[in-house]
Amino acid sequence: MDETLAKWLYLFNRGDDNQSFRRFGAHRVGPGRWQFLVWAPNAKAVAIVGEFSDWQPTALKPVGETGCWLGEHAGDVGQLYKVQVTTRTGEIVEKIDPFAFAFEKKPGTAAKLTDLPQHAWQDTAWLTQRKDHLSYDRPLNIYELHLGSFKRHEDGSYITYREAINEVLPYVKKLGYTHLELMPLMEHLLDASWGYQLMGYFAPTSRFGPPEDFLAFIDAAHQLGLGVIMDWVPGHFIRNTDTLAQFDGTPTFEYADPHRADNVRWGTWNFDLGKAQVQSFLLSSAMFWLDWCHLDGLRVDAVSNMLYMDYDAGKEHDRNRFGGRENLEGTAFLKRLNTQVFAAHPDVLMIAEESSDYPKVSAPIDTGGLGFNYKWNMGWMNDTLKYFSTDPYARQAHIDQLTFSWVYMQNEQFILPFSHDEVVHGKKSLMHKMPGDRYNQFANLRTMAVWHMTFPGKKLLFMGSEWGQFLEWRDWSQLEWVDLNDPLNEKMQTFTTVLNHLYQATPALWQEDFQAHGINITIGDRSDVIAYERRGRADKDRLIVVLNLLPEQRDQFIVPVPHAGLYEIGLNTESARFGGTWTHLQRRLRTRGKPERGQPDSVAVVLPAMGALLIKPLTEKTQGAGSMEVKRDD
């Protein structure tokens, strides 16, 4: 055996190879010649069948006792092929190449002969600033997008990666987002799975074009100043028998125990995260997307499913060898994943979609954590949506649904997600969740958006929510862009854009997200009004947030402020520009010289009905600015 190959396979079988995509699968070894390397440890025989051989098998040879099979064949780029496995029982089955970089279009599952996708990258400036400016004390505002349903052609066909460069990226940038989060774009068969039931862990889906065009899309985003995150699914995979399931005739990628392998919740198979070769496979997948494709991070899907043995249906009493609920292999794998990713890329985002109260998900591993740098705050999201979807007068008794999150808001480094999961399957769109008539629905939605944007933590919003789409998200058709012909939807989109840009320009809203200093709650004991101060590092970087949670205007409402002087209302959700009724805005405020609620001073404001104000202190440079209106036109 070649000494270099022997080293590679040794590392792969130890679980220490995070670059296995460079050796496994099909790789060109000369003009018109390809080498195939397949892991099938319990197969009786392995062969390659493809267009280049009229689908007749070309046998691979076992590589010692490594469980791998190696061989060569002539072929042309783009030709289709599969792996033919003869099981120990003599059954002959055709399987995908797990390491393929490209597949034929659905419903086929044949891989394509192709080199590692190439691209002449022009994102050096982006990668340099990413390395120099880590995300913790920077604005992070994510637009979550399902590429297959963002926009479509008139005939219902998908836009391509190349078309998305012009259709998606300028739009997201103009709205004021810092990052784009793509729902899984790895190869998958079922559209209705949204990409979460995968088969191609190294292949951008062929739905939207070749892999090289996917790389061009990422590069274009970076050149425009947008980061790109993609959802990644290391916990489970598609059941189809011609993919990874029972790959060599025995449980290969999945657990040998059928009970543990069966993922009832999603109708998939669970990866055996304790198996060394599966770890090499998944670690290599993560590094492929981060290294080769220049992604800025991975949102790791269904982390709870990897943390708990009893997470899934029918497994309520499953226990590990110590009698606990924790999936020991799963937690060990996640720690290993984050260790290797951050060793190579300390500046990327590793985000856990984790729905339990598992401790220290976003804490460093050497302190007992899992090593992610962010965790989705599902509790905050669920409580917020429950509160704002209730009639304003009925929800007064449930103000704790908002204020309880203050208790744990800095237990983790949180992202606050209003994701696709909250606007589908009968849950209604964000706008449709809001109570009252259409006007009041938008008023509630704007107020909730301020709560979202000013609460400690980074942000995520699913596409279409920025203008208050009424219909639930549908993966089979494009967003309801026609909504923007309605003035209320168009003004909601304007509001989101203004709020996003204000967020980016205001260090108080992101610089100290995960420090106690970053927020000071000044009114938290009422059932109708909440007020708090967000703080940056510099004393001048402060923003006062006031939320009126009832549809009743409050004149001469007293707001505590941190010092005497002049203040300015930077945003009023009830401005007519945003769909409200205020045509003249109260802007310039002078302190009353009276302490309030333990704060040194206070200002009197007109608090809009079902609305929010953002109030900022004026510096010496801005105090001489022109006068501002102080009354409201009905």
Side-chain angles (χ1 to χ4, degrees):
M1 188 193 313
D2 175 83
E3 183 177 338
T4 302
L5 178 61
K7 179 181 178 182
W8 288 346
L9 298 186
Y10 172 74
L11 292 173
F12 178 77
N13 282 320
R14 279 175 51 91
D16 290 332
D17 183 8
N18 64 24
Q19 298 289 313
S20 55
F21 60 90
R22 299 178 185 272
R23 353 296 173 190
F24 282 84
H27 290 270
R28 197 198 305 257
V29 292
R33 291 204 65 80
W34 300 78
Q35 177 179 279
F36 299 88
L37 182 61
V38 177
W39 176 58
N42 295 306
K44 186 176 181 180
V46 176
I48 298 295
V49 297
E51 290 180 327
F52 42 77
S53 63
D54 292 327
W55 297 98
Q56 297 304 304
T58 299
L60 304 184
K61 295 180 179 180
V63 186
E65 301 298 320
T66 64
C68 299
W69 303 74
L70 182 68
E72 289 187 17
H73 202 286
D76 296 324
V77 171
Q79 288 186 307
L80 302 179
Y81 71 96
K82 284 195 170 186
V83 178
Q84 186 186 86
V85 175
T86 304
T87 70
R88 286 180 174 177
T89 63
E91 181 183 7
I92 298 176
V93 294
E94 289 187 355
K95 294 285 189 176
I96 66 167
D97 177 357
F99 288 90
F101 301 124
F103 287 87
E104 65 178 323
K105 292 186 182 297
K106 61 172 188 165
T109 59
K112 286 185 176 182
L113 283 180
T114 184
D115 296 304
L116 262 168
Q118 301 295 319
H119 180 71
W121 292 96
Q122 300 179 53
D123 61 349
T124 302
W126 169 265
L127 296 178
T128 299
Q129 69 86 25
R130 191 183 80 180
K131 189 173 295 184
D132 292 342
H133 301 286
L134 299 183
S135 63
Y136 304 109
D137 59 355
R138 304 291 298 169
L140 179 56
N141 188 14
I142 303 166
Y143 186 81
E144 187 190 25
L145 180 135
H146 178 259
L147 187 54
S149 59
F150 179 76
K151 278 189 178 179
R152 292 199 177 188
H153 297 126
E154 289 187 6
D155 63 0
S157 60
Y158 301 118
I159 62 171
T160 65
Y161 294 122
R162 292 280 182 180
E163 289 171 330
I165 291 173
N166 295 319
E167 293 287 344
V168 174
L169 300 181
Y171 175 76
V172 175
K173 181 68 175 179
K174 182 179 179 181
L175 283 174
Y177 290 93
T178 64
H179 287 69
L180 183 66
E181 181 172 315
L182 301 166
M183 291 168 69
L185 287 180
M186 294 175 277
E187 193 59 86
H188 56 283
L189 289 174
L190 181 65
D191 284 351
S193 79
W194 310 335
Y196 291 97
Q197 295 191 9
L198 296 170
M199 67 176 194
Y201 276 75
F202 300 88
T205 178
S206 60
R207 285 166 174 77
F208 313 114
E212 292 77 12
D213 289 359
F214 174 74
L215 301 187
F217 174 81
I218 305 302
D219 197 2
H222 287 170
Q223 291 180 55
L224 202 58
L226 284 172
V228 185
I229 306 160
M230 187 167 70
D231 289 6
W232 183 65
V233 191
H236 56 101
F237 59 89
I238 191 172
R239 285 187 186 269
N240 294 42
T241 56
D242 58 345
T243 59
L244 298 180
Q246 298 272 315
F247 188 79
D248 63 7
T250 68
T252 309
F253 290 89
E254 66 270 42
Y255 285 103
D257 178 353
H259 177 68
R260 294 199 67 185
D262 186 13
N263 191 313
V264 177
R265 184 184 296 258
W266 293 298
T268 52
W269 295 119
N270 290 319
F271 278 109
D272 182 350
L273 298 175
K275 187 178 289 186
Q277 297 88 344
V278 172
Q279 291 183 19
S280 287
F281 176 79
L282 291 172
L283 292 171
S284 296
S285 173
M287 297 304 287
F288 171 79
W289 299 104
L290 296 170
D291 276 350
W292 201 258
C293 301
H294 288 208
L295 285 180
D296 299 286
L298 299 174
R299 178 270 205 180
V300 182
D301 183 63
V303 168
S304 299
N305 183 62
M306 293 182 278
L307 291 179
Y308 297 105
M309 296 186 68
D310 62 351
Y311 181 77
D312 201 6
K315 303 179 183 180
E316 290 81 4
H317 304 292
D318 284 13
R319 292 294 182 267
N320 61 38
R321 65 179 181 273
F322 301 113
R325 302 172 53 214
E326 295 79 14
N327 179 346
L328 302 179
E329 307 98 277
T331 55
F333 168 74
L334 292 169
K335 291 178 182 180
R336 192 173 200 186
L337 166 70
N338 288 321
T339 297
Q340 294 201 16
V341 165
F342 287 124
H345 299 289
D347 53 339
V348 301
L349 308 174
M350 290 297 288
I351 302 166
E353 189 264 317
E354 204 283 302
S355 56
S356 77
D357 59 355
Y358 193 95
K360 296 187 173 183
V361 171
S362 59
I365 292 168
D366 59 9
T367 67
L370 290 180
F372 290 94
N373 48 12
Y374 292 104
K375 172 184 173 175
W376 274 21
N377 193 337
M378 309 290 272
W380 176 93
M381 176 272 297
N382 282 313
D383 286 348
T384 293
L385 292 179
K386 188 181 299 183
Y387 178 86
F388 275 97
S389 63
T390 304
D391 179 89
Y393 291 101
R395 68 191 181 200
Q396 284 188 277
H398 304 288
I399 190 66
D400 60 307
Q401 290 173 341
L402 296 188
T403 58
F404 177 69
S405 54
W406 286 332
V407 174
Y408 64 88
M409 62 186 167
Q410 285 155 351
N411 287 1
E412 301 273 2
Q413 293 174 163
F414 282 122
I415 288 177
L416 310 177
F418 289 140
S419 76
H420 65 277
D421 277 327
E422 311 317 316
V423 294
V424 73
H425 293 329
K427 294 182 181 178
K428 302 180 181 179
S429 67
L430 292 190
M431 205 283 282
H432 196 186
K433 293 178 195 288
M434 300 297 106
D437 59 19
R438 187 164 168 79
Y439 175 85
N440 280 289
Q441 285 180 316
F442 276 106
N444 270 273
L445 189 59
R446 291 190 298 269
T447 302
M448 188 176 76
V450 169
W451 172 248
H452 180 218
M453 200 57 65
T454 61
F455 194 91
K458 308 308 182 184
K459 324 299 177 186
L460 179 143
L461 188 72
F462 184 61
M463 64 180 194
S465 302
E466 70 271 19
W467 73 71
Q469 176 170 302
F470 182 81
L471 291 180
E472 281 189 335
W473 170 55
R474 302 171 299 180
D475 66 270
W476 62 87
S477 65
Q478 71 172 6
L479 295 177
E480 294 291 304
W481 295 98
V482 67
D483 285 351
L484 292 174
N485 294 329
D486 184 307
L488 283 176
N489 290 114
E490 188 273 333
K491 290 179 179 181
M492 183 68 206
Q493 186 188 56
T494 297
F495 173 77
T496 301
T497 303
V498 169
L499 185 60
N500 286 347
H501 284 283
L502 185 149
Y503 166 75
Q504 284 201 49
T506 309
L509 291 178
W510 39 261
Q511 206 169 58
E512 298 282 82
D513 268 328
F514 310 117
Q515 305 298 326
H517 170 78
I519 184 170
N520 177 36
I521 299 160
T522 56
I523 301 178
D525 57 353
R526 296 177 57 136
S527 64
D528 55 349
V529 176
I530 288 176
Y532 47 94
E533 175 194 359
R534 292 299 312 274
R535 300 167 173 168
R537 291 203 188 106
D539 186 65
K540 66 180 178 61
D541 291 327
R542 295 170 180 249
L543 187 73
I544 294 99
V545 183
V546 192
L547 306 175
N548 183 4
L549 302 168
L550 284 179
E552 299 174 2
Q553 179 177 311
R554 302 181 183 281
D555 297 327
Q556 293 298 305
F557 187 86
I558 306 303
V559 178
V561 296
H563 54 71
L566 289 176
Y567 287 77
E568 179 183 49
I569 295 179
L571 183 137
N572 181 334
T573 60
E574 275 297 291
S575 167
R577 181 187 180 196
F578 304 142
T581 60
W582 286 45
T583 56
H584 291 274
L585 301 176
Q586 181 185 20
R587 297 293 293 272
R588 186 64 58 85
L589 306 169
R590 185 177 295 278
T591 50
R592 302 164 62 239
K594 297 180 180 179
E596 181 74 16
R597 291 176 168 262
Q599 295 301 294
D601 217 319
S602 56
V603 294
V605 302
V606 179
L607 194 55
M610 189 49 64
L613 300 179
L614 299 183
I615 304 170
K616 56 185 179 181
L618 287 173
T619 64
E620 290 182 6
K621 291 182 179 180
T622 57
Q623 285 186 16
S627 61
M628 300 180 183
E629 297 88 357
V630 294
K631 69 175 184 176
R632 171 182 182 263
D633 280 5
D634 294 315

